[in-house]
Amino acid sequence: MGTSTSSTAQGTEMATGKRFKIACIGAGNVGASVAQYCAEMELGDIVLTDIVEGLPHGKALDLTEAGPIRGYGSIVTGTNDYADIAGSDVVVVTAGLPRKPGMSRLDLLSRNGEIIAGLSAEIAKHAPDSVVIMVTNPLDVMTYTAFKKLGFPPNRVVGMAGCLDSARMRAFVAMELGVSMKNVDTMVLGSHGDDMVPLPGYTTVSGIPITALLPQDRIDAIVERTRKGGGEIVALLKSGSAYYAPGASAARMARSVLRNENQLLPCSAYLTGQYDLEDLYLGVPVRLGRDGVQEIVELAIGDDAYAALHHSADEVRTGIDELRKLGLL
Ligand code: APR
């Protein structure tokens, strides 16, 4: 009766009876959404961490108080002390600044680069065995920065981008066709931003290619809307950016890791020659399980998508070079 904190299949590692621990670094809009979805799925106990006093504690208490109604037993705590993330199995990083009016792209890159470099040292110190899921933008460059600063093997550092972009594309296809979103599957590669590479050739509705269901101009419009998906939400919200779908995407990745689900998801992963690219993080299909990126899947993507992927990689490399010039890498 009541909510039990004893070992159950959910929120525990079956073999050892250990409860999983998930640290959310950054308790802003996205971080709190990640925590909420993780609690709803009872993935484990959650530690919300932020530099703002009271903020993670308040959100953690609020989420705890929702537990009796929503029926979850995850323990959610808030802290300003990185030591409290000790022993985390998964660390989700959403800390950083959003781009504000008047702030240049380079400003954002350097400010968030500094934040990610700083907190990576804390993660390496307190949660050295964790799988780190990066969410802070610019995503692919920040994931690379974390990878370099953490000193973890590349499989244990992964970025959340394609999961979100493909969810958006799935929603747009479903809306266009009036079918259930559950029937739509798609794949979006490349960097997280205008240069992403949505793949209509790998987009299906219950196994039917969308090329058989929609005229090319409608497919093109969906691809374009997917590329601008983040901006569409920003324009509507006027202040701040999306957080429900980003939070859900990161939580889905956390679940695949903690429950060793081996979901095949587009994620930003460290490339070592796949797609003829190396030494950068970029969105590719990966099999995500207990060790993080278990495998990178190389698809036959055709000449246009290949060129678009390489263009996307160039943009990420530019960001990495800028951080190097600033001495942050
Ligand atoms: N350690 C912990 N938290 C930090 C740090 C740090 N070093 N630096 C900043 N933060 C916190 C801020 O105090 C803030 O609470 O990160 C939080 C960011 O939250 P929001 O401003 O609400 O931003 P959010 O909408 O959650 O987006 C976070 O995710 O999707 C991306 O582009 C988005 O990069 C942005 C990130």
Side-chain angles (χ1 to χ4, degrees):
M1 38 172 285
T3 47
S4 165
T5 54
S6 65
S7 294
T8 61
Q10 295 180 328
T12 64
E13 197 164 29
M14 293 279 283
T16 60
K18 169 185 180 283
R19 289 173 73 90
F20 287 127
K21 182 167 172 181
I22 302 143
C24 296
I25 314 286
N29 283 336
V30 181
S33 299
V34 174
Q36 182 185 352
Y37 289 119
C38 287
E40 293 272 353
M41 291 189 282
E42 292 202 291
L43 291 186
D45 297 324
I46 299 150
V47 181
L48 270 173
T49 313
D50 204 287
I51 46 171
V52 178
E53 218 174 288
L55 177 79
H57 309 77
K59 291 196 179 180
L61 184 58
D62 201 3
L63 278 168
T64 300
E65 291 165 0
I69 298 168
R70 300 297 300 156
Y72 55 75
S74 292
I75 298 166
V76 191
T77 48
T79 184
N80 299 125
D81 184 355
Y82 282 110
D84 292 329
I85 71 168
S88 293
D89 299 284
V90 163
V91 177
V92 182
V93 178
T94 66
L97 302 177
R99 187 162 167 181
K100 302 210 172 92
M103 194 185 211
S104 75
R105 200 185 54 79
L106 193 58
D107 272 350
L108 180 74
L109 189 72
S110 66
R111 300 284 296 278
N112 280 353
E114 268 175 50
I115 290 172
I116 297 306
L119 60 81
S120 295
E122 300 287 348
I123 296 170
K125 182 173 168 196
H126 298 290
D129 300 322
S130 58
V131 172
V132 176
I133 299 173
M134 294 296 300
V135 180
T136 305
N137 279 315
L139 189 273
D140 305 277
V141 182
M142 290 303 119
T143 310
Y144 184 85
T145 306
F147 165 60
K148 288 290 176 188
K149 299 293 177 184
L150 282 162
F152 286 8
N155 58 295
R156 285 206 282 120
V157 186
V158 60
M160 189 291 292
C163 236
L164 167 63
D165 300 324
S166 62
R168 285 181 173 146
M169 189 164 167
R170 287 171 67 187
F172 299 151
V173 170
M175 288 191 264
E176 178 78 24
L177 288 169
V179 299
S180 167
M181 287 189 268
K182 293 182 197 171
N183 291 153
V184 184
D185 239 322
T186 186
M187 189 47 70
V188 179
L189 307 186
S191 61
H192 186 46
D194 293 353
D195 294 314
M196 71 178 73
V197 187
L199 297 178
Y202 285 104
T203 302
T204 57
V205 181
S206 291
I208 306 162
I210 53 159
T211 42
L213 297 171
L214 284 170
Q216 193 56 46
D217 63 325
R218 294 312 306 154
I219 295 174
D220 291 345
I222 287 170
V223 164
E224 197 50 21
R225 192 173 177 191
T226 302
R227 284 208 181 101
K228 304 268 162 63
E232 185 178 358
I233 305 265
V234 169
L236 288 166
L237 293 179
K238 311 276 189 302
S239 76
S241 49
Y243 49 98
Y244 292 118
S249 303
R252 184 188 193 195
M253 288 171 62
R255 190 181 80 180
S256 194
V257 171
L258 292 169
R259 298 197 180 154
N260 199 22
E261 289 179 334
N262 286 304
Q263 288 200 45
L264 187 66
L265 301 168
C267 299
S268 186
Y270 186 70
L271 299 179
T272 54
Q274 299 88 347
Y275 299 93
D276 301 322
L277 295 164
E278 62 182 349
D279 193 30
L280 83 162
Y281 269 82
L282 198 66
V284 288
V286 311
R287 189 163 59 79
L288 204 59
R290 196 65 190 90
D291 296 325
V293 176
Q294 312 273 20
E295 181 189 356
I296 292 173
V297 177
E298 282 195 80
L299 299 172
I301 55 173
D303 293 345
D304 289 351
Y306 179 92
L309 192 65
H310 278 248
H311 175 69
S312 203
D314 289 342
E315 291 298 309
V316 174
R317 281 204 192 95
T318 302
I320 291 172
D321 287 345
E322 280 165 354
L323 280 190
R324 278 207 185 101
K325 275 186 217 142
L326 292 166
L328 286 167
L329 270 175

